Structures are given as structure tokens and as C-alpha cells.
Amino acid sequence: MNITLKCFASLKRHLPNHAKANQAPVEINENMSVHQAIDYFKIDREEAYLVILNGVFVCPPDRDSTMLKENDTLALWPEVAGG
Amino acid sequence: MSWAGKLLRVNLTTAEITTESLNEEWKNDYLGSRGLASKYLSEEIDPACDPLSAENKMIMATGPLTGTSAATAGRYVVVTKGPLTNCIACSNSGGFIGAEMKNAGWDMVIFEGKSPKPVYLYVENDKAELLDADEIWGTSVWNTDEWLHNKHQDPLLRIAAVGRPAENGCFYAGIVNDLHRAAGRSGVGSVMASKNLKAVAIRGTKGVGNISDPEGFMKAVNEGKAVLAENPVTGQGLPAYGTQVLMNVINEIGALPAHNMKDVQFDGAHAISGEAMHEPRKSDGKPNLTTNAACFGCTIACGRISTIDQGHFSVENKSQYWGNSGGLEYEAAWALGADNGVDDLDALTYVNFICNEEGFDPITFGATVAAAMEMYEDGVLTKEQTGGIEFNFGSALALTKAADWVAANEGFGVDLALGSKRLCEKYGRPELSMTVKGQEFPAYDPRGIQGIGLNYATSNRGACHVRGYTVASEVLGIPEKTDPLTAEGKPGLVKAFQDATGAVDSSGICLFTTFAWSLDNIAPQVEAACGGGWTAERLAEVGERIWNLEREFNLKAGITSADDTLPARLRTEAAKTGPAKGLVSKVEEMMPEYYELRGWSTDGVPTEETRKKLGLS
Ligand code: SF4
């Protein structure tokens, strides 16, 4: 199954080599939860603080039950702020 | 005590300078900086006065923590009646001049009247004098800075100055200190220039004494610094990426206003983001970002120092812009970039340099250009009116030219210096101005982040994010996550953020500490510095008192509840993409509850009970 993975700020290092502009098309197994995908990319669950699936924040308690679908966009940030 | 206990009063009409003791009662009620200066202003001027007349006053003020060893304790504010908004204005700046003022022994400087000729104020500890500024009138902030350093032969002189737009009455000119820090919003620079005051140059070597409990203070300060260092945002994120880390976040959640707020997402967001500032350029292999930088006493260091590609069209044959200078912050990058549809990082950095060099607010400037671009695309403005240049969204050339024109008050720049409200009214399209109370929005769309819309609508200085930054909670999960798309619970959230911010601003530290600190971390520092029982609750109450004081100033200035709203576009034109697709701002739905929580009548006026509770007289 194909999804778009986006990793920003210090999480950029987890992107595959073919990534451009902090994003890459990636292939993952069917039936993966958000947490399983984060584990699959070897990203520390704690470090992936802001988890945004198709533009919507997935709160930590929902990250085990929220399943990824074909063509989803999963965007990850460490804890960041600005203003 | 921590306050210096003294203020300078500078009568520019008579050139008389006097000193006064700080009002004891007011400092206990309003703490310092924003709060205390707002109290002085409210007592001393008629809120209905013309902001650019001699009747208006301008106060530069520090807080009790300014100049101490507390983290980020370099802040100062400029409080006056703002020409952009006709409301009370309070613009906050970092850098070093605030701490210098305090080290010279002054909590604040009150400027009144109008000088018959251009002058600058020179302060060296107890000595204060008005000196001739004829030679620097008509020149930029950067030129003024260099001239003053040369003249006084003092590299450590700290300088705040206005540039040419302020002198020419640009409605959004700021006061730039330390070359690239600014009291930037609401046109406070134009007030300064209207008084024929070109600059304030300060040297203070006294140190900040009067700490109530020095040992307790060191302990509280060190504990506070440890919290900042350990927090991922203040310890790692802000130093590495600055505020610009937000560009991709806000675009991803569909709340990045673009094309004069017609859209809520921008295809070019990544190209102008904090991440892009780290990427090597094709031409010379260097990234836009050279290093980060810190204001006085700051252990976070979110500042950006950048360069422009020397081959970029904006700096062709302009070698003065080839070196390092203050780089893009998120709000500036958004206003100059996404709001205009421009994805050229070098062009944005160039315009940011010009805003610093000449002293004008990149948020209002960028949003005004965006309104002009929409009018151009709608056929309201013609190429003849826009300096012979196609003024479409996406044009980096139009953007950079516009900045040059505003800087020099030339051609179409005279129109652009009006700000979007007056510009759109002039050309018969007032609905295209994305403003509240005359001030342009910052970089968060109220359709995709509902609470921030209520904060914009109620902010006492017009649309502003740093009066109640609910984005921290609604998007970033600080201190806890709330749903950005719902209006439920937001009036209480907005009020809590607004009140806490009033206290933080008034203490003399940077608001960015609050990504890691709550008032519980700040209160022990204020208490050890000032004494007298400063708790988190008392600080929140001070914040609430300040909010109501500012509100009463605005009511007397002619603001009504009808001004507590957002432009029709945000209330009626739904977001077209992203998670907020189909949504408009629910600001009208939230307002009654907000008024009620504030203890205001349905007309938005503080009730007698509220006034009594807060001790407003
Ligand atoms: S956090 Fe940034 S803006 Fe605030 S004091 Fe530090 S460097 Fe200045």
C-alpha cells in the first residue's frame, strides 16, 4: 500500500533517500495503525509528537486504533512551536 | 524591588527632561512594561486624540525582570495610541536596548509633545539630553545606527530608531532596535517620527540592583533556565528552526492563509519554510540560514541570521545586502510569501532586510500587498497605477519593488503605505482588507483554527497573534491539545491565554518562554525579584486588569462591539481545502460567551462589578 510520508524538523533524518521537500512516497503493509507505521520507519514514538494524518491531528490514545489507508498522507514533527 | 523606581519624562515641545519616581500603587497593580505603561498612557492622554498629533504620548517601558539574569529578560515595549488602528498600541521588542535602559537606571521613558526640529534622545546612565538629528533625518534605521555609533564612538551604545517610512507617515512604520529587532506593529514608529524624534540611544552601566531576594532569585532563575533547556521546543526546536518551523505545520492542517486569505493552503509553503532555510542553494551551496541568534539574556535563541543569494535579482548590484542580517520569522515569511503567493525565499529575505533597514512592519506590509494584488487581478488597479509592473499574486518582482517604493515613499508605495484598510477603502473595495480594527492578520486562518479567530476579533491592538496565542493549544498541544476546528470551549481558552500574556509581557520577559513555562514558573522569579507576594493567580489577575484597562481606553477612543469581528470573507467564504474545508469562522457564535466570561455587558463594556473586582478606577 502506498502512502506519503512527511518528516519535518529533526525528524527529517528518517526519510528515505529519494525524499524531496521533506516528503517521500513510501510503501507499507496493509492494516497498519499510525503507531505501527511510526515504528516501521524506526521513529521514536515519543519524538513523533505532532502526528498529522491527512491534515488532522491524531491524538496519542488514537494512534493504535487509527488505521492507514491507501494514498494517506502521514506528517510527523517533534514537539515544535513558533509564533 | 527590581524596578529601577524612576522614569524619564521628555517634553519634546520644550526640550525639558525631568525625572519622576515610579507610581508605587500602579506598579503593584500593573507590574511593569505593557501594563504599567498602558496605565500611564490611559491616565495622561485623551484616548480620542489624533495619534499623530502632539497630544499623543509615546512610552518606552521595561518590566521588573528586564535587565536581570532571568532568561529572555531583555524585552521592552512601546505603548502609545496607534495610527493604524486608532486603538491603544503596545509593540514588544527584544534585542538589547530594553536591558540597556534598565541598566541606565530607568524603568520607562515618556515622550510627550512634538519637537520643533529633528532630535534624538541620548541617555548615558543619569545623563539624558536631546541632540540634533538633522543630519540623520531622511535616512534609514541602519544609517542612523551607524551614524550614532560613529558620533558617540561607542560600539556598545544601544539604539532604537525610525526610518524613512515613519517620517513619511506610513501607517505601519515600526521602531527598530539593534538593527533587526522591532517594536513593529500598529504604526508606533510613525508616532515617534511625528514627534520629530529620530532615535533613542542608550548606554547603561549601572547594573540592575534592587533584587528583593537575591539568593531566591538566582535559584528561581536557574530552575527556570533548566526547564527551558530540557523542553524540546525551547531547548531544541526554536534554536534550530526558529518560528519558521511552523510554515509546514500550519499548511498541513489547512490554516495557512494564502492569496489575501482566499485560500487556506499554499503550494509553495515548503519553499519558504524553516526547513528550506537550512537547505543548500544551487548557486553557492550555502543555505539561507547562517546561524541562530539570541536577544539579551536569552537561552533559547530563536533569532534567524540569513543571507540572500548574491545572484538573486533583488540584490543585483546591491552589495550592501550581500552580508548576513536578520532573517525571516514565520509571520514575516507568511505575510510576504504565502499571502502574496510568492515562493521565492531570497525575495522574501530581501524584503525582510528592507523592513528592518527602513523600519516597517512586514506583516501589515505583506498583507497590504496581498490586498493590492487581489485588486489588480480584479481589474480595480491597473498596471499604470502599480508602477508599470504586473501586480499579480506570485510575483516576486512586484513584492520587492513594492518594498523599495514604500521605503522611499515613491509611486505606488505612497498608496501601499496606507495599510490595507485605507488602501482598499480608497479604491472602493473595503471588503478586501483582511484586518480587525484596522490591523492586518498574522499567519493563522480563523476558519482552520477557531480560537485564534476569536482572539483576533477581541485583541485590543487589532488583529494580533501574540495577544492570546491559542495556536499553542489548538495546533501544537501546549499545554494541552484542543481541537482547532471547534468553537466549543474556545472563549475560556482565549481569555486564559490573553490574561496570562498580559502578565508575561508586563514582567519584561519573552512570550516564547511560555512554550515551556506557565505562570507557575514565572511567579517565583517575579516574587524573588520584586517581593510583595507575586503568585501565579495574582499575575493572571494583573493580566486581566490590563486587558480591561486597554479595553476601556479603546471604548473611549470610539471602538464598539461592532469592531469585535472578522472580515466577511472569513465569516462567509468557507475554506476550500484541507480539514477545515466547508468551514467558516464561528466568531459570532463565540462572542457572547467571551463577553460573559470577561464580565462585560452584551455591548462589550466592562460591568461595574468587573471594574470593582479588578480595581479599575
Ligand atoms: S526566544 Fe527569541 S525572541 Fe525571545 S528573547 Fe529569545 S531570541 Fe529573542
Side-chain angles (χ1 to χ4, degrees):
Chain A
M1 177 170 93
N2 295 305
I3 66 162
T4 300
L5 176 70
K6 299 184 178 182
C7 292
F8 294 96
S10 58
L11 293 182
K12 184 185 171 190
R13 66 184 192 279
H14 295 288
L15 283 167
N17 289 339
H18 64 276
K20 274 201 193 105
N22 290 78
Q23 59 175 294
V26 289
E27 214 181 318
I28 58 167
N29 296 334
E30 307 274 326
N31 296 323
M32 263 195 181
S33 71
V34 166
H35 256 160
Q36 284 167 333
I38 289 171
D39 294 345
Y40 175 78
F41 295 116
K42 300 196 170 50
I43 299 171
D44 183 32
R45 287 186 183 190
E46 299 270 301
E47 209 188 340
Y49 182 84
L50 268 186
V51 175
I52 296 181
L53 180 61
N54 303 323
V56 181
F57 178 76
V58 186
C59 51
D62 295 342
R63 289 177 193 172
D64 282 322
S65 55
T66 306
M67 307 306 283
L68 294 176
K69 301 182 309 300
E70 179 84 27
N71 296 328
D72 273 352
T73 297
L74 181 66
L76 307 172
W77 281 263
E79 196 174 349
V80 293
Chain B
M1 290 291 287
S2 191
W3 296 273
K6 283 191 312 174
L7 66 87
L8 264 182
R9 185 176 293 276
V10 181
N11 185 321
L12 291 156
T13 311
T14 61
E16 201 182 351
I17 302 178
T18 49
T19 66
E20 281 170 34
S21 300
L22 211 58
N23 186 306
E24 281 293 315
E25 189 191 329
W26 293 353
K27 76 181 180 13
N28 288 325
D29 286 345
Y30 294 95
L31 189 55
S33 197
R34 172 176 160 195
L36 193 54
S38 298
K39 176 64 177 168
Y40 271 89
L41 190 80
S42 297
E43 294 288 334
E44 295 193 10
I45 71 163
D46 175 3
C49 74
D50 172 356
L52 297 178
S53 70
E55 219 188 314
N56 193 8
K57 296 191 184 187
M58 185 188 95
I59 305 177
M60 290 181 159
T62 64
L65 293 183
T66 308
T68 69
S69 58
T72 77
R75 310 298 300 190
Y76 95 105
V77 294
V78 178
V79 173
T80 186
K81 182 175 178 183
L84 186 69
T85 55
N86 279 312
C87 291
I88 194 163
C90 171
S91 275
N92 187 311
S93 182
F96 297 86
I97 197 166
E100 202 72 19
M101 185 190 295
K102 194 71 172 295
N103 273 282
W106 306 104
D107 290 306
M108 57 169 88
V109 184
I110 301 179
F111 294 96
E112 48 194 38
K114 175 180 177 171
S115 169
K117 60 181 174 65
V119 290
Y120 69 96
L121 178 72
Y122 177 74
V123 178
E124 192 183 343
N125 295 326
D126 293 331
K127 186 172 99 183
E129 51 190 345
L130 286 170
L131 299 173
D132 200 285
D134 262 339
E135 261 188 74
I136 37 177
W137 197 256
T139 73
S140 71
V141 171
W142 289 359
N143 179 72
T144 299
D145 190 279
E146 193 181 344
W147 187 87
L148 286 168
H149 277 118
N150 283 337
K151 180 176 171 193
H152 292 277
Q153 285 295 300
D154 183 355
L156 292 176
L157 196 62
R158 298 296 180 187
I159 293 159
V162 294
R164 294 180 293 165
E167 295 174 15
N168 292 319
C170 168
F171 280 89
Y172 49 90
I175 301 170
V176 177
N177 59 280
D178 304 293
L179 295 175
H180 41 75
R181 286 282 166 184
R185 301 223 71 194
S186 317
V188 297
S190 304
V191 174
M192 180 160 157
S194 76
K195 298 186 171 307
N196 270 328
L197 180 66
K198 181 68 180 174
V200 176
I202 307 180
R203 187 77 165 94
T205 55
K206 291 180 163 188
V208 177
N210 292 345
I211 300 289
S212 170
D213 168 13
E215 208 175 309
F217 185 66
M218 284 310 291
K219 185 168 170 282
V221 161
N222 287 337
E223 281 170 7
K225 285 181 180 169
V227 172
L228 293 179
E230 282 155 24
N231 181 281
V233 173
T234 49
Q236 293 153 32
L238 278 172
Y241 293 92
T243 56
Q244 265 276 66
V245 75
L246 285 186
M247 186 67 73
N248 288 310
V249 180
I250 305 298
N251 194 45
E252 192 72 19
I253 66 156
L256 186 74
H259 310 108
N260 201 31
M261 306 190 99
K262 283 197 286 188
D263 298 309
V264 297
Q265 285 179 312
F266 176 47
D267 284 346
H270 187 273
I272 59 170
S273 68
E275 281 82 358
M277 286 170 74
H278 278 265
E279 282 167 16
R281 292 189 280 255
K282 280 199 190 83
S283 58
D284 58 6
K286 289 184 190 153
N288 173 283
L289 183 76
T290 311
T291 183
N292 65 330
C295 301
F296 174 87
C298 179
T299 53
I300 303 172
C302 78
R304 305 290 89 186
I305 300 295
S306 289
T307 57
I308 302 166
D309 184 340
Q310 292 180 14
H312 189 261
F313 76 85
S314 60
V315 294
E316 222 181 334
N317 304 320
K318 294 184 189 169
S319 57
Q320 69 269 36
Y321 302 114
W322 291 356
N324 295 321
S325 194
L328 291 163
E329 309 294 339
Y330 171 60
E331 309 298 336
W334 163 76
L336 303 172
D339 207 27
N340 293 312
V342 176
D343 63 1
D344 179 337
L345 190 61
D346 286 302
L348 308 193
T349 307
Y350 170 75
V351 175
N352 199 61
F353 281 15
I354 300 297
C355 287
N356 287 334
E357 180 182 23
E358 291 286 359
F360 57 101
D361 172 15
I363 301 180
T364 286
F365 167 75
T368 302
V369 170
M373 285 178 167
E374 186 166 358
M375 286 197 284
Y376 182 83
E377 294 201 343
D378 281 0
V380 178
L381 290 171
T382 63
K383 203 169 153 185
E384 286 66 48
Q385 285 162 308
T386 58
I389 283 182
E390 303 275 7
F391 221 75
N392 295 87
F393 283 115
S395 171
L397 179 68
L399 176 73
T400 54
K401 286 282 178 203
D404 292 340
W405 295 332
V406 169
N409 199 38
E410 267 172 20
F412 190 45
V414 176
D415 269 353
L416 292 170
L418 294 169
S420 71
K421 179 169 180 274
R422 291 167 179 86
L423 178 79
C424 293
E425 278 167 0
K426 178 174 173 178
Y427 290 101
R429 297 293 300 275
E431 77 281 8
L432 297 187
S433 167
M434 296 299 118
T435 48
V436 173
K437 302 181 177 79
Q439 180 156 284
E440 287 71 9
F441 289 86
Y444 313 90
D445 198 292
R447 291 165 290 202
I449 310 175
Q450 292 288 333
I452 201 73
L454 178 63
N455 172 61
Y456 289 158
T458 55
S459 158
N460 288 319
R461 67 166 190 177
C464 169
H465 58 301
V466 286
R467 282 296 170 274
Y469 192 67
T470 57
V471 173
S473 165
E474 293 181 277
V475 181
L476 307 166
I478 301 169
E480 57 193 36
K481 187 78 174 70
T482 51
D483 181 355
L485 301 179
T486 171
E488 214 178 308
K490 295 299 164 61
L493 187 76
V494 168
K495 178 181 179 292
F497 268 83
Q498 289 175 338
D499 291 349
T501 302
V504 174
D505 286 348
S506 300
S507 69
I509 58 171
C510 179
L511 188 59
F512 288 174
T513 55
T514 58
F515 294 130
W517 290 352
S518 69
L519 291 181
D520 288 326
N521 300 93
I522 297 168
Q525 301 183 56
V526 175
E527 171 58 13
C530 302
W534 291 93
T535 59
E537 293 71 33
R538 183 171 165 199
L539 287 174
E541 190 189 291
V542 165
E544 185 172 11
R545 184 176 298 119
I546 294 165
W547 195 265
N548 282 272
L549 176 86
E550 293 170 339
R551 176 71 174 184
E552 294 208 321
F553 181 101
N554 285 349
L555 292 169
K556 288 180 199 150
I559 290 295
T560 69
S561 57
D563 299 298
D564 296 340
T565 189
L566 300 176
R569 169 165 287 172
L570 305 172
R571 292 180 283 114
T572 59
E573 293 174 28
K576 293 178 205 150
T577 60
K581 188 173 171 180
L583 286 183
V584 294
S585 165
K586 299 169 194 157
V587 66
E588 286 150 329
E589 186 185 316
M590 292 183 272
M591 199 59 73
E593 188 186 339
Y594 175 83
Y595 279 3
E596 198 182 320
L597 287 171
R598 279 257 167 247
W600 294 355
S601 69
T602 48
D603 292 333
V605 178
T607 61
E608 264 322 301
E609 204 185 329
T610 302
R611 304 187 79 246
K612 213 167 138 201
K613 182 186 95 180
L614 295 170
L616 290 169
S617 54

